[in-house]
Amino acid sequence: MLRFETAGESHGECLVATLTGLPAGVPVSLEAINRDLWRRQQGFGRGGRMKIETDKAHIVSGVRHSKTIGSPVAILIDNADWKNWTEALPVEDFEGSAQKQKKLTRPRPGHADLAGALKYNFQDARYVLERASARETTARVALGGLAKAFLGELGIAVFSHVIAVGQERSDRPVTWEELVALNNRDEVLLNCVDAEAEQRMKGVVDQIYKTGDTVGGVFEVVAHGVPPGLGSHITWDSRLDGKLAQAIVSLQAVKGVEIGFATEGAASFGSKVQDTIHYSGEEHKFTRGANRAGGLEGGITNGEDVVVRGLLKPISTLRRPLESVDFETREAVAAAYERSDVCVVPAAGVGGEAMVALVLAQAALEKFGGDSMTETKRNYKGYLEQVKNF
Ligand code: EPS
């Protein structure tokens, strides 16, 4: 079973990520992982923190001579900002440390501040926000890089793009080739394939920035080359659509998830929504009239691209703060303001890729197993033959 965990606080020394259960022999490229970390840091509307950090994965176990060796992979990613927080967030108290604390007692509506402080009985929401921060997605993206390397061996690739920022949308169909080209760019604006729509999105971020507000949007993750048969209809918790939904909603600020064209489908009719079934004798395979189901039927992949969207609320830290209540005085106050981003939809998309890659890697390993990549690939090849000869 593929298991992963992350640890680390936004302004702590570093982020830690571990992944256990990858077969031996998965080729690992630090360059590819670091490229994804870089992509996560990009996008028009990011805050000052991204100027401080240059996220790089430091693999300390589980990989030797550029390949996994079956043991847990552990990755460290430094927080360059830690040097500015050593006295505010020390591991051990020191004389006078109470005066150095940067307490947060004016919880931000929408952030984990109040709910977390009540739950953990903290008079200082700092401890909550440190872990609730989307900085944690850095660790997920590093792990996603490993999952992508594994999936790549099976011919599966995962990319994302932005389809909405605020009210500005681009719903035009996107080819896989366009997605690859988009994500290979060395400059990221809002990671939208439609240049005209991207400019409109940029206009929204510009305008929102000036008013001290923030803006959300929608990203779409596409997994290409996925075989039919991952996940299962047999129990509620083996349905892959459910696992993907949980994985996407677990990303900071994501409040909704859509598999395929769910919203449109809910407002339409059965005859317009289901993807018709056809057969190509030449390719020996079933084909579909469209992919409105987002590659999943009955919780099982059907061989089409897996398409999952994340609906991101605007970031909850506002320069023009909302009403709140101070923990100490219980008086009405403006919520705390901490340096933050105005728009993070492209970055959230990269986080979404990581989560989709991890869930697909889990499902693929559950189905095909293998302690070495040779074994996994042999099993995979046998299964593909079976499907072809169905
Ligand atoms: C983030 C780093 C954080 C925030 C943001 C995401 O850095 P800092 O708090 O030092 O500015 O920019 O986190 C949040 C949006 C949040 O609400 O906590 C990152 O690396 O993505």
Side-chain angles (χ1 to χ4, degrees), residues 10-11 40 46 49-50 55 81 108 111 129 132-135 137-138 315-317 338-341:
S10 183
H11 305 103
R40 196 204 71 88
R46 297 308 305 269
R49 180 73 184 272
M50 292 307 108
D55 293 332
D81 206 16
R108 294 159 292 173
H111 215 285
L129 78 91
S133 166
R135 175 105 193 112
T137 59
T138 310
I315 297 271
S316 46
T317 310
E338 299 251 327
R339 172 188 61 202
S340 189
D341 311 280

Side-chain angles (χ1 to χ4, degrees), residues 25 106 346 352 387:
R106 293 177 289 136
V387 169

Side-chain angles (χ1 to χ4, degrees), residues 307-349:
V307 183
V308 189
R309 293 174 171 187
L311 283 66
L312 204 71
K313 70 171 177 175
I315 297 271
S316 46
T317 310
L318 303 180
R319 262 192 298 129
R320 212 183 48 198
L322 296 174
E323 288 171 69
S324 184
V325 173
D326 191 288
F327 286 165
E328 285 161 3
T329 65
R330 303 292 155 108
E331 276 169 18
V333 287
Y337 173 69
E338 299 251 327
R339 172 188 61 202
S340 189
D341 311 280
V342 175
C343 172
V344 290
V345 191

